[in-house]
Amino acid sequence: MAEARSAVAELRIHDLDEGKDTWADFTREWRKSIVRQYFRTRNTIRNGLWPTSLWNLGAAFSFFVFLMVGDFDAMQPLTSRMWVMGETIRLPKGMPRWLKAFVISCVLGFFFFFLLMQVRRQVLTVLLTYRGWMYLNPKRMSWSVMIWGALTKLFSGYSPSLYSCQRSLPRLPVPPLSQTMEKLLRSLKPLVTEDEYEVFKKEAKDFENGLGPKLQRILTLKSWWSQNWVTDWWEKYVYLMGRSPLPNNSNYYCVEYSYYRPTKRPASRAAILVYYMLQFKTLIDRELLEPLCIRGTVPICMAQYERMFSTTRVPGEDIDVIKHYESRHVVVFSKGLFYKLEVYDTKGKILLPQSLEAQFEWILEDSAKHSESCTEAERSIAALTTMERTDWAKTRQKYFASGLNKESLEVVDKAITFVSFSEETPEHFNEQANFLLHGDGRSIWFDKSITAVFFANGCAGVNCEHSFGDAPIIAHLIEWTMLAEVIHMTHQSTYDENGRCRNFTDYTQAAAKAPSRIVWEVSAPLETKLLAALAEAKRCNDDIDLVVSDFDAYGKGFIKTCKVSPDAFVQMALQLAYYKDAHKFVLTYEASMTRLYLCGRTETVRSLTSESKDFVRSMVNDNVSREEKLRLLHVAADKHQVMYKDAMNGKGIDRHLFGLFVVSKGLGYECKFLQHVLSRPWTMSTSQQPQTQIVTSPDPNLPFFLDKVRIIRS
């Protein structure tokens, strides 16, 4: 069997009832199936009807019944036509008058409801295509924008579910070819010499007058029938066809709330955070998570949340595959050993923190007892996920395609998430961030969508696979999870004086399954592969220089008082710092989101501009006055802010160039111009400043929260 049970005498959970009563087992599973089907059916209906609702249908039906039964004189012209409908739909002549009124009201009510639904949906889509509001100061909106906002609110439904807004989101437009060429040349000007610029200018003109329009027409055609003309290609060609190892190249990490250390017990910390992560998963599964809206009005795409949990990137020789499962367990890694842990009890409820704490503590104790009985290779199975993707695919096919290893690997692939207990005790951001980025070569299953890492001193963080979704959705999960932990402590302490989980609910936990060891068959050739993968992973990790600093002299609030966008301010600071260090300007990448559109992901903002170049040069020139430097900063920041908003609104450069390049390859063209501009290296890669995604998050400057986000200096 793939899951060899360890001794469970010390496990602090209830005994199981499964197998003792077959009829009870059947009834229990049937009830769970009914509950799941109920939520799926309900959500399908709600999403299909949004922005209207069944209440609107009931109101329409009641209105028509009231008119027909009341038979008001003033409404005779209308009701007479409604009675004529009875003849049109050929109701039986002997049918009672009240029943005819009921049937006609049902038909008219449904027709009116369907018409209302389509009108509201189409009008809302048109309203959401308007982007002028984004370029205005939110504190000084024009009357036209306020009217637009009121109409958007009016035509939007109330209490939308997670995916309700998807049908009303506009589709990502294909930018005009001339616009992209103009912006491309403008972005290259501060990077190249005059002669090089003239070469690019000629190549761009030839492309725009030659092959470009043909490629543009095909992109436009795709934008008409696909949900998003670039997202599927971006996922396939940028992520899934990438052959480089995932750690240090594709996966990313998230740390917790700065200095927040509620307990030094890793099992207790893991129990609380995993419990809240499962609560978040329930909100996603039942579509109860409220969709995010910009300024409380404009919804953004939530499609990426669907694959947040129970998702694995399976390696292939040429292209990887993202597989999403329905599962009820997590896989726990401790001291080189793997365990399957069911996180729901026999009634389908999430295990309470105290139950999870007991399970994790038993796993930590059991792994400490049996770790030394395993070889170095057996404790390093996860090192295979650090390999180059083609090599990992071949290894998986050769050693994990059948028997015990296949069954064990399926348990890991299907897990809700991968939970890793590390023996490291990071005391600084650097140590914590470095481990979360690449681990020690064998503690993180890089193929899993989320690996939650818990350190021996109670610190925590996650490592995330990138192909299924982008960092903001994981940041939302982390923010929600950490906030739930912190907010709960403001009302009732989550941990007792010893750092153990408190019982903060009256719910009585039902029986739960015991953890089971996941075992592997490691042959001599596989052992050689494992040790080589581990050695290569450690070599690559040692080649990474990652420094995370805490800058607390000032923050966004102060920058805003200077009438500068915080994001633009940071980008200008990065340009200045790089120039002072390298004495040159380089192509700079900043990620922007396009989730204002259906299935949108990211776009690139080319942060280096002629305006930012002028600002940087002024800062290193002592002959330029302070006032002029400030003026140039505002000019560069304003330019950057417009570029960022353009990228969010589908007016970027790089995804358009990427789409044109894919089309050219598909048609068999070797376009030297596209290859030339797309092969220029991104010397500096940056991201946007952190954003709070939960509007109910408390102000971190409040006394209770201040020590969780910064060091209090006396």
Side-chain angles (χ1 to χ4, degrees):
M1 294 296 293
E3 300 154 21
R5 288 194 179 278
S6 303
V8 294
E10 301 174 32
L11 194 60
R12 295 179 287 274
I13 62 172
H14 302 290
D15 294 331
L16 282 175
D17 295 326
E18 279 86 343
K20 298 179 181 179
D21 189 337
T22 305
W23 176 252
D25 292 345
F26 169 78
T27 304
R28 186 183 300 111
E29 292 303 317
W30 178 78
R31 182 181 63 83
K32 292 178 185 177
S33 176
I34 291 296
V35 171
R36 286 195 297 269
Q37 192 59 43
Y38 161 74
F39 281 107
R40 288 174 181 168
T41 304
R42 185 201 67 175
N43 293 332
T44 299
I45 294 173
R46 287 183 61 185
N47 294 339
L49 298 180
W50 201 86
T52 54
S53 67
L54 288 176
W55 290 106
N56 298 133
L57 177 60
F61 168 72
S62 301
F63 173 73
F64 287 117
V65 168
F66 176 72
L67 286 182
M68 298 190 72
V69 174
D71 199 18
F72 303 103
D73 293 338
M75 304 301 294
Q76 278 297 323
L78 177 60
T79 54
S80 61
R81 287 179 172 81
M82 294 168 62
W83 283 111
V84 171
M85 180 173 286
E87 300 175 5
T88 305
I89 61 178
R90 304 197 177 196
L91 295 177
K93 292 184 179 180
M95 180 180 290
R97 183 179 176 84
W98 66 267
L99 186 55
K100 282 186 178 182
F102 180 84
V103 173
I104 294 172
S105 298
C106 285
V107 174
L108 288 173
F110 181 80
F111 175 78
F112 179 80
F113 170 78
F114 180 78
L115 182 63
L116 175 66
M117 178 182 69
Q118 292 299 326
V119 169
R120 288 184 66 177
R121 186 175 293 169
Q122 296 305 318
V123 170
L124 183 58
T125 300
V126 172
L127 288 169
L128 291 177
T129 60
Y130 172 69
R131 293 286 183 263
W133 59 271
M134 190 179 290
Y135 296 89
L136 299 177
N137 188 327
K139 295 181 179 179
R140 293 194 298 271
M141 286 293 179
S142 64
W143 278 104
S144 60
V145 172
M146 288 191 285
I147 292 172
W148 165 83
L151 289 174
T152 303
K153 284 282 191 180
L154 177 65
F155 282 91
S156 298
Y158 59 91
S159 300
S161 63
L162 180 60
Y163 305 120
S164 290
C165 304
Q166 298 297 103
R167 293 174 183 263
S168 296
L169 291 176
R171 298 189 182 189
L172 182 68
V174 179
L177 185 61
S178 58
Q179 175 183 290
T180 298
M181 293 299 103
E182 179 186 346
K183 289 184 175 181
L184 173 64
L185 292 173
R186 198 183 303 151
S187 72
L188 293 173
K189 195 163 188 177
L191 286 166
V192 299
T193 63
E194 285 295 329
D195 291 340
E196 289 175 322
Y197 180 75
E198 289 301 321
V199 172
F200 275 115
K201 191 174 180 180
K202 182 179 182 304
E203 290 180 350
K205 185 176 181 180
D206 292 343
F207 177 76
E208 192 175 349
N209 294 329
L211 180 61
K214 181 177 182 179
L215 305 181
Q216 178 79 356
R217 285 193 295 271
I218 295 176
L219 269 190
T220 303
L221 182 63
K222 189 190 177 192
S223 71
W224 290 348
W225 58 262
S226 63
Q227 291 185 322
N228 189 296
W229 59 266
V230 70
T231 292
D232 55 342
W233 287 347
W234 188 255
E235 181 178 294
K236 178 180 179 180
Y237 295 113
V238 173
Y239 289 115
L240 299 181
M241 290 193 74
R243 301 292 84 192
S244 300
L246 297 185
N248 303 322
N249 293 297
S250 180
N251 282 32
Y252 59 93
Y253 71 92
C254 296
V255 296
E256 57 185 335
Y257 275 171
S258 304
Y259 301 99
Y260 182 46
R261 302 291 181 272
T263 178
K264 295 183 178 180
R265 302 178 64 90
S268 303
R269 189 78 193 283
I272 290 294
L273 295 187
V274 169
Y275 173 77
Y276 282 124
M277 289 175 71
L278 293 172
Q279 293 279 13
F280 194 82
K281 179 181 182 298
T282 299
L283 294 179
I284 294 175
D285 292 344
R286 297 183 178 181
E287 300 185 22
L288 298 176
L289 187 67
E290 187 175 348
L292 298 177
C293 292
I294 298 179
R295 300 183 188 174
T297 302
V298 183
I300 64 176
C301 181
M302 306 296 285
Q304 296 179 40
Y305 286 72
E306 188 174 358
R307 298 185 295 182
M308 183 182 291
F309 296 100
S310 304
T311 297
T312 296
R313 176 173 170 174
V314 178
E317 292 191 24
D318 296 315
I319 182 172
D320 295 353
V321 177
I322 299 176
K323 291 191 175 181
H324 180 67
Y325 307 91
E326 288 189 7
S327 52
R328 304 174 62 81
H329 71 276
V330 300
V331 168
V332 183
F333 177 88
S334 176
K335 297 184 183 296
L337 303 184
F338 293 77
Y339 297 82
K340 177 183 178 181
L341 173 59
E342 296 282 348
V343 289
Y344 295 87
D345 63 22
T346 55
K347 292 184 178 179
K349 300 292 185 180
I350 299 172
L351 294 188
L352 295 173
Q354 283 187 317
S355 299
L356 287 170
E357 181 185 47
Q359 306 273 35
F360 288 140
E361 286 180 340
W362 181 87
I363 288 173
L364 291 174
E365 293 170 5
D366 184 78
S367 61
K369 293 178 183 178
H370 299 97
S371 178
E372 294 302 321
S373 63
C374 299
T375 65
E376 178 79 0
E378 290 174 332
R379 297 196 299 270
S380 305
I381 297 293
L384 295 173
T385 65
T386 69
M387 297 172 66
E388 190 267 345
R389 300 306 289 173
T390 299
D391 289 345
W392 171 209
K394 292 178 179 178
T395 302
R396 182 177 171 123
Q397 179 62 33
K398 186 173 183 179
Y399 299 105
F400 295 86
S402 61
L404 176 65
N405 284 351
K406 179 183 179 181
E407 297 177 20
S408 297
L409 189 58
E410 286 179 349
V411 174
V412 178
D413 284 346
K414 294 180 180 180
I416 294 172
T417 187
F418 191 86
V419 178
S420 178
F421 285 99
S422 171
E423 297 178 73
E424 301 290 327
T425 56
E427 297 298 334
H428 191 269
F429 286 141
N430 278 347
E431 302 166 23
Q432 188 177 1
N434 272 277
F435 192 93
L436 292 173
L437 176 64
H438 50 60
D440 57 7
R442 63 184 179 188
S443 299
I444 296 174
W445 197 273
F446 291 98
D447 291 352
K448 287 302 294 180
S449 56
I450 301 173
T451 295
V453 180
F454 297 95
F455 297 96
N457 60 354
C459 294
V462 297
N463 178 281
C464 305
E465 201 279 313
H466 209 324
S467 62
F468 80 96
D470 300 310
I473 68 163
I474 299 297
H476 188 188
L477 165 68
I478 298 301
E479 183 180 352
W480 192 95
T481 302
M482 298 292 180
L483 184 61
E485 180 186 37
V486 172
I487 292 297
H488 187 84
M489 292 190 67
T490 64
H491 303 290
Q492 178 183 357
S493 181
T494 309
Y495 306 93
D496 63 19
E497 59 277 3
N498 297 317
R500 301 180 64 86
C501 297
R502 287 186 185 274
N503 183 18
F504 51 81
T505 178
D506 295 331
Y507 171 72
T508 302
Q509 189 80 69
K513 289 185 179 179
S516 55
R517 276 273 300 280
I518 302 173
V519 296
W520 312 86
E521 288 182 351
V522 180
S523 61
L526 179 57
E527 181 175 9
T528 302
K529 278 276 188 184
L530 282 163
L531 295 178
L534 180 62
E536 177 63 13
K538 290 181 177 180
R539 186 194 68 79
C540 292
N541 294 347
D542 291 340
D543 194 41
I544 295 293
D545 290 324
L546 174 63
V547 177
V548 181
S549 300
D550 178 15
F551 180 84
D552 61 356
Y554 55 84
K556 290 196 299 184
F558 170 76
I559 297 173
K560 288 180 179 179
T561 63
C562 300
K563 308 299 182 183
V564 178
S565 159
D567 176 69
F569 182 92
V570 172
Q571 289 295 324
M572 296 309 109
L574 290 172
Q575 292 295 332
L576 177 59
Y578 189 88
Y579 184 81
K580 283 186 172 182
D581 180 65
H583 305 291
K584 63 180 180 179
F585 296 97
V586 294
L587 193 60
T588 307
Y589 182 109
E590 182 188 7
S592 169
M593 70 95 171
T594 56
R595 288 168 62 197
L596 288 167
Y597 298 95
L598 182 62
C599 296
R601 290 198 60 164
T602 61
E603 176 56 278
T604 304
V605 181
R606 297 187 169 214
S607 300
L608 176 65
T609 62
S610 297
E611 290 80 2
S612 65
K613 186 176 181 179
D614 291 342
F615 162 71
V616 169
R617 282 182 167 169
S618 74
M619 290 296 291
V620 295
N621 186 347
D622 294 336
N623 295 323
V624 178
S625 66
R626 179 176 179 273
E627 290 74 16
E628 178 64 9
K629 291 177 180 178
L630 284 173
R631 187 189 70 80
L632 291 173
L633 170 62
H634 281 90
V635 170
D638 290 344
K639 175 65 177 178
H640 180 85
Q641 199 169 9
V642 170
M643 290 171 54
Y644 194 93
K645 292 172 180 177
D646 281 349
M648 291 180 65
N649 292 327
K651 300 177 184 178
I653 304 171
D654 291 274
R655 296 302 176 270
H656 190 194
L657 294 175
F658 167 76
L660 294 170
F661 180 73
V662 172
V663 174
S664 70
K665 298 294 286 186
L667 295 177
Y669 294 107
E670 291 295 332
C671 183
K672 293 183 179 180
F673 168 70
L674 291 176
Q675 290 178 342
H676 193 187
V677 296
L678 289 173
S679 61
R680 294 185 65 86
W682 297 102
T683 305
M684 189 156 56
S685 181
T686 70
S687 189
Q688 61 186 11
Q689 42 127 2
Q691 303 284 339
T692 299
Q693 300 188 69
I694 302 176
V695 295
T696 56
S697 294
D699 186 346
N701 292 309
L702 294 174
F704 182 84
F705 305 105
L706 193 58
D707 64 336
K708 297 169 178 55
V709 294
R710 59 176 293 189
I711 294 178
I712 306 300
R713 295 183 172 90
S714 56

